Amino acid sequence: MTTNDVKKESIQENIEKAEILIEALPYIQRFNGKVIVIKCGGSLMDDADRMAAIIEDVVLLKVVGFKPIIVHGGGKEISHWIDKTGLETKFVNGLRVTDEKTLEIVEMALAKVNGALVRNIEALGEKAMGVSGKSGSLFKAVKKDSDDESEDLGFVGSIKEVNSKVLRDMLDNDYLPVVYPLAMDDEFNTYNINADDAACAVAKVLKAEKLAFLSDVPGVLVDRDDPDSLISEMYTDEVKQLIEDGKVVGGMIPKLYNCVDAINKGVNRVHILDGRIPHCLLLEFFTDRGSGTAIMNPKEFRYYKQELSRKEKKG
Amino acid sequence: MTTNDVKKESIQENIEKAEILIEALPYIQRFNGKVIVIKCGGSLMDDADRMAAIIEDVVLLKVVGFKPIIVHGGGKEISHWIDKTGLETKFVNGLRVTDEKTLEIVEMALAKVNGALVRNIEALGEKAMGVSGKSGSLFKAVKKDSDDESEDLGFVGSIKEVNSKVLRDMLDNDYLPVVYPLAMDDEFNTYNINADDAACAVAKVLKAEKLAFLSDVPGVLVDRDDPDSLISEMYTDEVKQLIEDGKVVGGMIPKLYNCVDAINKGVNRVHILDGRIPHCLLLEFFTDRGSGTAIMNPKEFRYYKQELSRKEKKG
Amino acid sequence: MTTNDVKKESIQENIEKAEILIEALPYIQRFNGKVIVIKCGGSLMDDADRMAAIIEDVVLLKVVGFKPIIVHGGGKEISHWIDKTGLETKFVNGLRVTDEKTLEIVEMALAKVNGALVRNIEALGEKAMGVSGKSGSLFKAVKKDSDDESEDLGFVGSIKEVNSKVLRDMLDNDYLPVVYPLAMDDEFNTYNINADDAACAVAKVLKAEKLAFLSDVPGVLVDRDDPDSLISEMYTDEVKQLIEDGKVVGGMIPKLYNCVDAINKGVNRVHILDGRIPHCLLLEFFTDRGSGTAIMNPKEFRYYKQELSRKEKKG
Amino acid sequence: MTTNDVKKESIQENIEKAEILIEALPYIQRFNGKVIVIKCGGSLMDDADRMAAIIEDVVLLKVVGFKPIIVHGGGKEISHWIDKTGLETKFVNGLRVTDEKTLEIVEMALAKVNGALVRNIEALGEKAMGVSGKSGSLFKAVKKDSDDESEDLGFVGSIKEVNSKVLRDMLDNDYLPVVYPLAMDDEFNTYNINADDAACAVAKVLKAEKLAFLSDVPGVLVDRDDPDSLISEMYTDEVKQLIEDGKVVGGMIPKLYNCVDAINKGVNRVHILDGRIPHCLLLEFFTDRGSGTAIMNPKEFRYYKQELSRKEKKG
Amino acid sequence: MTTNDVKKESIQENIEKAEILIEALPYIQRFNGKVIVIKCGGSLMDDADRMAAIIEDVVLLKVVGFKPIIVHGGGKEISHWIDKTGLETKFVNGLRVTDEKTLEIVEMALAKVNGALVRNIEALGEKAMGVSGKSGSLFKAVKKDSDDESEDLGFVGSIKEVNSKVLRDMLDNDYLPVVYPLAMDDEFNTYNINADDAACAVAKVLKAEKLAFLSDVPGVLVDRDDPDSLISEMYTDEVKQLIEDGKVVGGMIPKLYNCVDAINKGVNRVHILDGRIPHCLLLEFFTDRGSGTAIMNPKEFRYYKQELSRKEKKG
Amino acid sequence: MTTNDVKKESIQENIEKAEILIEALPYIQRFNGKVIVIKCGGSLMDDADRMAAIIEDVVLLKVVGFKPIIVHGGGKEISHWIDKTGLETKFVNGLRVTDEKTLEIVEMALAKVNGALVRNIEALGEKAMGVSGKSGSLFKAVKKDSDDESEDLGFVGSIKEVNSKVLRDMLDNDYLPVVYPLAMDDEFNTYNINADDAACAVAKVLKAEKLAFLSDVPGVLVDRDDPDSLISEMYTDEVKQLIEDGKVVGGMIPKLYNCVDAINKGVNRVHILDGRIPHCLLLEFFTDRGSGTAIMNPKEFRYYKQELSRKEKKG
């Protein structure tokens, strides 16, 4: 028998905590049972603490009723093992040529990263299912052509078909799928797939509620030298203008095309989030102010306005 | 297209919010899919704001995956309508004699309170099912004898059987049951039932994870004149000693017997909470320090110790 | 060991009883698993014996495989409690203005009638589920405008949406739903709904096989002063003519519009029955000659003729 | 539009009809979903009208929610075809020796009777499934020994195992099984089985609520020469006494042993009915006074008395 | 403890056996869960050994995952019993007139054949369900008109409707259906149906993968006098030409029309097999070279070519 | 239209093929739906052709209705990558010490082998699910103590718990699980597990029908120098004697203990097979003479004798 000595201040503090949970209520209700595809990539994969924080968010999303799916790349792990095994790497137009030897390293390094993500999820008490896109022929691919026809990119593929049953079965059986982007062609050769493309393909085939790209950039910037110029929300039709205006460059361009494609194929919103901000997923999904850029369907506009006016009425 | 102007301070603040959600994670996991019976009673029922705050908590419990059931009494509503209709009331040993006319008022006043609770839940977006214990013969009763044999309490009954199918069907179909404690005997006469007894009967038959009594007292006090002497946790075998030592009196005695009975029949923990503290349910269920008294099974001791040591390791 | 002394006459009598059961066979087969909405209203609600007889019929319908749903009004119970609590009532164009105080009485009186119906069903061994239209947001309403714009009818609403899941879940779980017609608007204010409208809305959304209005009139009369001029069957297109000819007046007009609307929205037949005739439901559903007026879809004509010719062949 | 000219007398008559349906209510409720095994045999099989009347009863039982199963013999059909094909028949102790040639005729004649029963059920709108006990190895048999060891009964078998899945699948899929009593031994030779034994085996393995033997005798008589001495109800322990007292003889003895065996193995009641009385099944199951002899478990006594007292209270 | 003395030769032999199983692998995969309708007819029915071999094949098909259904005629059994019972038979245009007496014999003889097939299947350890087309109104018929209007064929019918639920229920519950072709008309009179027509009707309503006619001819011959001129594969559009060219005659013509009809209504392939070749079904389904004639949909051509090219690649 | 030129000889050959399929029939029936755990290990893993042949067998088992599960080790792949990355390896009592760096290589090499097995299965048209034992916490482990207490084996673990849901979900959803033996302890550190132990643990928890160890030895030999002294069948009680007699040595001893343990925990038979013999699995499962050693439960003796006598009868 212990006597309670909680001071009134501490009770007050706890009450405020409780109110934060209550704030999240409408978001939890709205996305209950919805599929959320989360792509983890870039340098995030190399920072154990950041990855752990992101996994905490993903697990919370699952625990309150969402159906998250993680698609991940290999980060620096691949280069690390290529160096370690003394493999020489050839580049064509900035893309690594993936010959058979390189592909072996890619498969092994991705599996290692996968194992670490599975471990983090299991340690938080949820059931993770870590698989490559070869299992159940989740991803079927065709060989990707190089822009330069005289060059061969090797075993780099584009997804031509997704066997969504693999993921649906996992979700139905209450697992958190963790997928690394390998695929096979019709001859059952293995191919390496770009993780952004894989996440996008998964989101489209499952008509996901949300697709979130977590990386080490703050989101889409109006002025790419000014981190304060972050665009927090934009419609798919604004994306084209932005690219034409030359305001986005490099790897952000294919990522944005993936966003627009995903939304056109039925994904509700796509988020480009800064994985370096702790709990960026919860901030984006459970608070009014997110932490990155949200790309939306213009048709969603009406719905969005209604939301706002409802909040104002309540407020 | 809007430019993000969220200041860093505000992001920091939001990150702290997110951490509070993360803190609740293990509690949400532990109680996922578990039945929680919540008895709302006393003067709480007469304060619309308090009731709304309690319903917010209950709805959040449901939204994150618990299976809450509300059992409620009529508070001052019954007396109000008895006065209003000019009914005279006879008391035997402090208990109101429930003749046929009084029973009519009781049934109507309980239904009115039920309608208000259903409304509050629906307004928060969850589906409530408001029924009396007569529906589906949820509660079967026998007439309660007065201690004074020469007196007749009228239509006051004790529950002799609970048709748990009624509640299981509602939970399976994703409703939040809101029950008012009427029952019928074998001749299908209607009886008024004590709401504490009804909540306890429901918790026992469903082997609920938790049974929480919300009222307008702080919990169990070692010194009933010192609100700082709250017992935050006690085992069922300590309850008897407490009563024998005369440290608890009045309505708390039958409530404590109900607690012990519930735990002996398979309920995991019983909580006596101070409904006047905002979000007392969330504080009790989602934080290490609750807001009232928890009664536990001594057999649970080992488990509880393990929990503590696990937390210490993590911490 | 008892020796059988049943006389031959009595056996003969019993055989005739059995033949009556056999007569009902094709009707039982035809309506097996079909939804039947029964509206109980008017002065019937105030006569315990009549109500008990009606409930016997409804329970038999359920027991032989139909899926009956009861929607009921409050009868004189509402006025009784308005008088009892000394509330003053204002009328606009013959309609009672339902202010907040009146609404309280309406809700309570309806719940009391509901409790009595639930009791009757349970006493016959079937499981009843008594709920208001607020539970599970079964009925969503908008405020009804008065014909006289300067007047406000208060909390009187029209149904704008029915959440049929509430009733389907009950039917699937083998309950007999007993519904009283309250609803909430988008702001979750409570409204009183006309019971005929509520029954009609339920029948339409469930595409009921039959909708039966039980009241204290014999049905539709060609000559409203001649009870022998009862129309036993008519098509929806005959209804309009009847109204234009001024042959029906008063409350029968909106009831007939409800009938036509129900049939146009997929209900197969609507019956206006005289609840004062014992077992009027069984007479109407299980014998060739019903006890009131049946309104039918003209498209049903062909089917009906086939039935007749089949019977003739068998006969 | 037709004007109703139903006279008041006729309404009164119809109301009485309805009351007969209401009388059947508690019986229909009690046996809902219960398995009822009905053995049709003897000369009944040779009278098309009687058979049609019995099938009407069985179909009604199914339509109101029972799960009837018919097991039938071949009646005179077998002898008819044996004569027709000029087969000579040898008898041992009054039992027909079933050699291979005879067995062919038995199988064919039983199938013919089965086809007629299936036809009658389908004509009443229910789905019948007519099979021999060989289908799905419903009945597995061992060869029956003759009492006289020097004689061989040929392909006459005793059931040693029932594959209840065959019948459960039919019931679950809403068919009315119609079974003729052939079986196979472990070498998959075909055997003829006594229809009473087959019905009894089915009732036992399904723990049927009721097993009814329909034949052309009035039931069990105290004085076999006095049809008025019918025993309407008896307990299994009274049966032995009756046989010892020599009050029953011939084919009734093994039938009574079958009755006792069935009850000891979990069948609730066994009925020996006079199939010559029209609607004997309905009379027995739906009225207080049956038409034949009911054999009951003495343990059922307490339950039975409760029933009686309940009726008296109601009455 | 036994010492292994298997010689190397025998191991080598067994390895070759295993390779035969492996060869069947793609066929087993392709047809897994698919419905295969097999019509057994002609003189095959009269040869117990041939029938046993065919049943072995059918059982193997079932065991490896197909869903076979057997439809059978009566072979010489019918004539045998007609002779035996001294019935006189009248023929109209070569068709036997089926009067009531003849129909009795037909029903009985078909049931006898059915019993033998059921026995064979059960002896191989699978569950057979033997029924006539009257059970569950599997087949509904209309009377077949004679070409010669002045003559009446009696109870010979054409199928107008198939209640596929009867067969689906059996397949879902893991039975091997064995059907004999009787049907009832709207007045529930029994009719004899041509077994080829019945098999075809079943295949069409279930959109069977395959329909196989097993008889005592080698298949379709280009030169009907040269058994080596067997056509192993042909498209439906070639069938018409063949008939016009007068290359097929007699019973083969309606059989071919049935084939074309089946394919046009959704059956994938129809096979005319020589039941006298042992294991003709396995040869046709599990090897590249079948044993009879396969009729295919021309639209299937592309698919078929792909298959070939795949095999060549692998080979 | 192609003319069939199949010669009679070739038909005869095909008929013999068909008879081999028929021979397999009783085995396919007996093991339908049963779980078969197959451990692939040793040098087999390094020979692509042998592995492909084994996978063909496993896929055939699945296709005809078994539920196979593959558990595999890493073969020489692990040593290969340890050499390649220049890692130094320390051995304790002949066991490789698995430090963190080595564990990384183990995890990656196992994943590579897993990918190859998944590929082979998918290429044969079945759905494979390749996972490590960390997914869904399939295997929970404790650290394995070295026999020499002063030495630490590093991350080598023993399985203490199997989450069979992971495999059951895969089997229920029709995948062929391919598992590599990693596990996590309570602190979620990764451990390497012996593949034999992992296969045995899986077989025990699923009460597998069969557990087959495929390696590059012929089975259990009476005289380990004489390959002709293979024991083809032995009971668990004979195993102990064999070990005591010193007739088995080395890695075969723990393998045999695993066999006995598996059988004692409910596995029906364990097979030690020579994976170098093509189609050794089919030979063992589908023919009377297997290709290795079968270990059986002595209690199975009676059953086994029955089988034999049944075969003899048939033969």
Side-chain angles (χ1 to χ4, degrees), chain A residues 38-299:
Chain A
I38 296 144
K39 189 260 164 165
C40 301
S43 66
L44 294 177
M45 310 301 293
D46 309 315
D47 180 333
D49 287 345
R50 277 188 184 152
M51 196 38 62
I54 287 166
I55 292 302
E56 269 189 338
D57 284 19
V58 176
V59 164
L60 186 75
L61 295 183
K62 177 168 188 305
V63 162
V64 300
F66 297 33
K67 292 182 176 297
I69 293 171
I70 294 176
V71 178
H72 67 87
K76 292 182 189 154
E77 199 72 37
I78 293 171
S79 316
H80 169 76
W81 290 97
I82 281 177
D83 294 350
K84 192 122 186 170
T85 53
L87 219 62
E88 269 178 55
T89 309
K90 191 178 159 192
F91 283 84
V92 170
N93 295 340
L95 291 170
R96 190 198 303 271
V97 173
T98 306
D99 59 10
E100 207 166 323
K101 293 273 170 209
T102 308
L103 186 65
E104 282 186 347
I105 301 294
V106 168
E107 182 160 9
M108 290 166 76
L110 284 169
K112 182 169 171 293
V113 173
N114 190 267
L117 291 171
V118 165
R119 181 224 166 266
N120 276 354
I121 295 164
E122 294 283 334
L124 287 170
E126 290 303 302
K127 295 292 160 216
M129 192 57 59
V131 292
S132 87
K134 290 158 76 175
S135 277
S137 291
L138 170 57
F139 298 139
K140 294 292 285 185
V142 290
K143 190 176 158 58
K144 209 170 198 166
D145 292 328
S146 167
D147 293 338
D148 178 348
E149 284 191 18
S150 67
E151 298 286 350
D152 184 346
L153 291 172
F155 294 100
V156 174
S158 309
I159 290 176
K160 68 161 193 171
E161 206 179 320
V162 179
N163 178 10
S164 63
K165 181 181 183 291
V166 172
L167 298 170
R168 285 194 203 281
D169 285 343
M170 291 179 186
L171 296 176
D172 288 352
N173 289 308
D174 205 29
Y175 298 101
L176 201 167
V178 186
V179 178
Y180 55 104
L182 296 179
M184 291 187 291
D185 66 9
D186 283 348
E187 309 305 309
F188 295 94
N189 299 305
T190 299
Y191 285 81
N192 187 17
I193 303 288
N194 175 279
D196 275 16
D197 292 354
C200 187
V202 165
K204 285 188 296 184
V205 80
L206 294 174
K207 305 243 176 274
E209 177 68 23
K210 286 172 180 296
L211 164 60
F213 292 104
L214 269 76
S215 62
D216 43 12
V217 296
V220 181
L221 302 178
V222 174
D223 173 353
R224 84 189 92 122
D225 299 320
D226 175 10
D228 285 346
S229 69
L230 179 74
I231 300 167
S232 57
E233 285 176 340
M234 65 194 299
Y235 292 102
T236 46
D237 46 10
E238 294 169 312
V239 170
K240 206 188 154 199
Q241 194 58 43
L242 208 69
I243 292 170
E244 282 176 3
D245 295 352
K247 291 198 168 151
V248 291
V249 293
M252 188 54 87
I253 294 178
K255 200 182 283 280
L256 282 174
Y257 278 128
N258 259 327
C259 295
V260 173
D261 182 36
I263 285 171
N264 288 343
K265 298 280 170 46
V267 177
N268 205 21
R269 277 196 200 193
V270 185
H271 301 268
I272 299 173
L273 300 180
D274 188 344
R276 296 166 305 182
I277 300 177
H279 303 302
C280 61
L281 277 167
L282 298 190
L283 295 186
E284 186 73 19
F285 292 175
F286 286 165
T287 67
D288 292 350
R289 294 264 163 137
S291 69
T293 301
I295 322 283
M296 305 176 297
N297 196 326
K299 288 177 203 153

Side-chain angles (χ1 to χ4, degrees), chain F residues 92-116:
Chain F
V92 171
N93 296 340
L95 291 171
R96 190 198 304 270
V97 174
T98 307
D99 60 10
E100 207 166 324
K101 293 273 171 210
T102 309
L103 186 64
E104 281 186 347
I105 301 293
V106 168
E107 183 160 8
M108 289 165 76
L110 284 170
K112 183 170 171 293
V113 173
N114 190 266

Side-chain angles (χ1 to χ4, degrees), chain F residues 4-279:
Chain F
N4 194 345
D5 56 353
V6 177
K7 294 289 165 288
K8 276 168 193 164
E9 310 89 285
S10 101
I11 283 186
Q12 192 48 41
E13 197 184 293
N14 273 316
I15 290 171
E16 279 158 24
K17 278 191 186 185
E19 272 158 8
I20 287 161
L21 289 163
I22 293 294
E23 245 181 66
L25 179 58
Y27 300 97
I28 299 178
Q29 282 179 309
R30 194 192 308 157
F31 302 132
N32 186 36
K34 299 285 173 64
V35 172
I36 313 283
V37 178
I38 296 145
K39 189 260 165 167
C40 300
S43 65
L44 294 177
M45 311 301 295
D46 309 315
D47 180 333
D49 287 345
R50 277 186 184 154
M51 196 37 65
I54 288 167
I55 292 303
E56 269 189 337
D57 284 18
V58 176
V59 164
L60 187 76
L61 295 182
K62 177 168 187 306
V63 161
V64 299
F66 297 33
K67 292 182 175 297
I69 294 171
I70 294 176
V71 178
H72 67 87
K76 292 183 189 153
E77 199 71 38
I78 293 171
S79 316
H80 169 77
W81 289 99
I82 281 178
D83 293 348
K84 190 122 188 169
T85 52
L87 219 61
E88 272 179 51
T89 308
K90 190 177 161 194
F91 283 85
V92 171
N93 296 340
L95 291 171
R96 190 198 304 270
V97 174
T98 307
D99 60 10
E100 207 166 324
K101 293 273 171 210
T102 309
L103 186 64
E104 281 186 347
I105 301 293
V106 168
E107 183 160 8
M108 289 165 76
L110 284 170
K112 183 170 171 293
V113 173
N114 190 266
L117 291 171
V118 165
R119 182 224 167 265
N120 276 353
I121 296 164
E122 294 282 335
L124 287 170
E126 290 303 302
K127 293 293 160 215
M129 192 57 58
V131 292
S132 87
K134 291 158 76 175
S135 276
S137 290
L138 170 56
F139 298 140
K140 293 292 287 186
V142 290
K143 190 175 158 57
K144 207 168 198 168
D145 291 327
S146 167
D147 294 337
D148 178 347
E149 285 191 18
S150 68
E151 298 286 350
D152 184 348
L153 291 171
F155 294 100
V156 174
S158 309
I159 290 176
K160 67 161 194 172
E161 207 180 319
V162 178
N163 178 11
S164 64
K165 181 182 182 291
V166 171
L167 297 170
R168 284 194 203 282
D169 286 344
M170 290 179 187
L171 296 176
D172 289 352
N173 289 309
D174 205 30
Y175 297 102
L176 201 167
V178 186
V179 178
Y180 53 104
L182 296 180
M184 293 188 290
D185 66 8
D186 284 348
E187 309 306 309
F188 295 93
N189 299 306
T190 299
Y191 284 82
N192 187 16
I193 303 288
N194 176 279
D196 275 16
D197 292 355
C200 187
V202 165
K204 286 188 296 184
V205 81
L206 294 175
K207 305 243 176 274
E209 177 68 22
K210 286 173 179 296
L211 165 60
F213 292 104
L214 269 75
S215 62
D216 43 12
V217 296
V220 181
L221 302 177
V222 175
D223 173 352
R224 84 190 92 124
D225 298 321
D226 174 12
D228 286 345
S229 70
L230 179 74
I231 299 167
S232 58
E233 284 177 340
M234 65 195 299
Y235 293 103
T236 47
D237 45 11
E238 294 170 311
V239 171
K240 206 188 154 199
Q241 195 58 44
L242 208 69
I243 293 170
E244 281 177 3
D245 295 352
K247 291 199 169 149
V248 290
V249 293
M252 187 56 84
I253 294 178
K255 200 182 283 280
L256 282 174
Y257 278 129
N258 259 328
C259 294
V260 173
D261 182 35
I263 286 171
N264 289 342
K265 299 280 169 46
V267 176
N268 205 22
R269 277 196 199 191
V270 184
H271 301 267
I272 299 174
L273 301 180
D274 188 344
R276 296 166 305 183
I277 300 176
H279 303 303

